[in-house]
């Protein structure tokens, strides 16, 4: 049985996940890869679904709860993509407020459906300003501590921390953020890219071609 590469891109609201998925789908399709996309939110009729459909890749939607709460719906969505278009790669975009995705989604996929899916590293995409608010000593934040806690938990469970919007940063500013991320998660690799411009996209896709550690 063919194994489908499964990527999941987590991250807080506004990190740029939908833009990254759209650019990745277009880049992979240009290389002759068939891609399927899965969106997720508490609501229905997602704007992200409509945006990603414009890439030309098939899109399935898991609504009414996060991937962890609707795990079987996620599996059904992936199965629907496989039946619909026989993708080489499926990319899932979980809701921005979700944590513990490794334990509740990726490990069950590996244990229960390992013959079907080959898991890539779990990327967590971060917005530079949110990263600074959450990790810099004495930084002011518009978010309460409970929200910053969710943000920190998300990056702590990442296999790869991806700093997005690097085109908005100076080299010194980017180096500062990379150092913050490494201090907080010393064993987790950090990668910078611009989903909007495509800078660093190939490097990220190269990492996603490898199995999850």
């Amino acid at each position: 049985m063919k194994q489908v590469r499964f990527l999941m891109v987590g991250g807080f609201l506004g990190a740029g996940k939908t833009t990254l998925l759209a650019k990745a789908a277009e880049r992979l399709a240009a290389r002759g890869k068939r891609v399927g996309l899965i969106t997720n939110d508490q609501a229905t009729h997602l704007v992200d679904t409509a945006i990603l459909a414009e890439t030309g890749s098939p899109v399935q939607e898991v609504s009414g709860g996060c991937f962890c709460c609707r795990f079987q719906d996620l599996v059904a969505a992936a199965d629907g993509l496989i039946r619909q278009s026989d993708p080489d790669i499926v990319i899932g975009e979980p809701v921005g407020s979700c944590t513990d995705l490794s334990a509740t989604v990726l490990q069950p996929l590996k244990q229960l459906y390992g013959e079907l899916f080959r898991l890539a590293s779990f990327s967590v995409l971060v917005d530079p300003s949110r990263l600074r608010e959450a990790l810099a000593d004495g930084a002011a934040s518009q978010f309460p501590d409970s929200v910053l806690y969710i943000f920190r938990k998300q990056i702590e469970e990442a296999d790869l921390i991806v700093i997005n919007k690097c085109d908005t940063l100076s080299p010194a500013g980017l180096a500062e953020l990379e150092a913050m991320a490494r201090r907080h998660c010393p064993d987790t690799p950090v990668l910078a890219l611009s989903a909007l411009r495509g800078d660093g996209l190939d490097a990220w896709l190269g990492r996603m071609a490898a199995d999850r550690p």
Side-chain angles (χ1 to χ4, degrees):
M1 178 183 294
K2 170 187 172 181
Q3 281 188 311
V4 177
R5 174 69 64 183
F6 185 92
L7 281 64
M8 192 161 65
V9 182
F12 201 67
L13 302 169
K17 299 189 296 296
T18 303
T19 301
L20 177 59
L21 264 64
K23 294 290 187 180
E26 292 170 351
R27 186 71 56 90
L28 289 166
R31 297 176 181 175
K33 298 292 186 181
R34 293 185 298 273
V35 182
L37 303 164
I38 305 176
T39 59
N40 175 223
D41 208 335
Q42 309 288 352
T44 57
H45 306 296
L46 306 183
V47 173
D48 290 352
T49 303
I51 292 172
L52 292 176
E54 294 179 359
T55 66
S57 293
V59 186
Q60 292 275 343
E61 183 177 294
V62 175
S63 58
C66 54
F67 282 160
C68 55
C69 298
R70 295 193 170 273
F71 179 74
Q72 290 304 325
D73 290 344
L74 170 62
V75 173
D79 184 64
L81 289 170
I82 291 169
R83 294 175 184 276
Q84 176 185 356
S85 59
D86 188 28
D88 302 298
I89 301 164
V90 169
I91 312 178
E93 178 192 356
V95 63
S97 59
C98 201
T99 61
D100 295 325
L101 288 165
S102 179
T104 61
V105 177
L106 295 175
Q107 291 300 332
L109 279 177
K110 182 177 179 179
Q111 293 166 6
L112 301 175
Y113 302 97
E115 78 287 351
L116 186 59
F117 301 112
R118 196 171 184 90
L119 270 60
S121 295
F122 176 37
S123 295
V124 172
L125 198 66
V126 296
D127 175 273
S129 60
R130 299 290 89 80
L131 184 64
R132 185 173 285 106
E133 288 177 42
L135 300 185
D137 293 335
S141 174
Q142 61 179 315
F143 296 114
D145 289 343
S146 58
V147 174
L148 294 177
Y149 172 82
I150 291 173
F151 182 94
R152 295 184 188 111
K153 292 299 291 183
Q154 287 180 342
I155 64 173
E156 286 165 8
E157 69 174 349
D159 295 322
L160 177 66
I161 298 170
V162 183
I163 301 174
N164 191 21
K165 307 177 186 178
C166 68
D167 55 300
T168 67
L169 299 168
S170 66
L174 176 58
E176 178 188 16
L177 289 174
E178 289 174 334
M180 286 181 191
R182 292 190 176 102
R183 281 196 299 271
H184 191 74
C185 301
D187 297 324
T188 306
V190 180
L191 179 73
L193 57 74
S194 169
L196 184 62
R197 294 201 323 192
D199 301 345
L201 182 59
D202 287 335
W204 178 71
L205 289 173
R207 285 178 177 264
M208 294 304 98
D211 291 344
R212 184 170 190 255

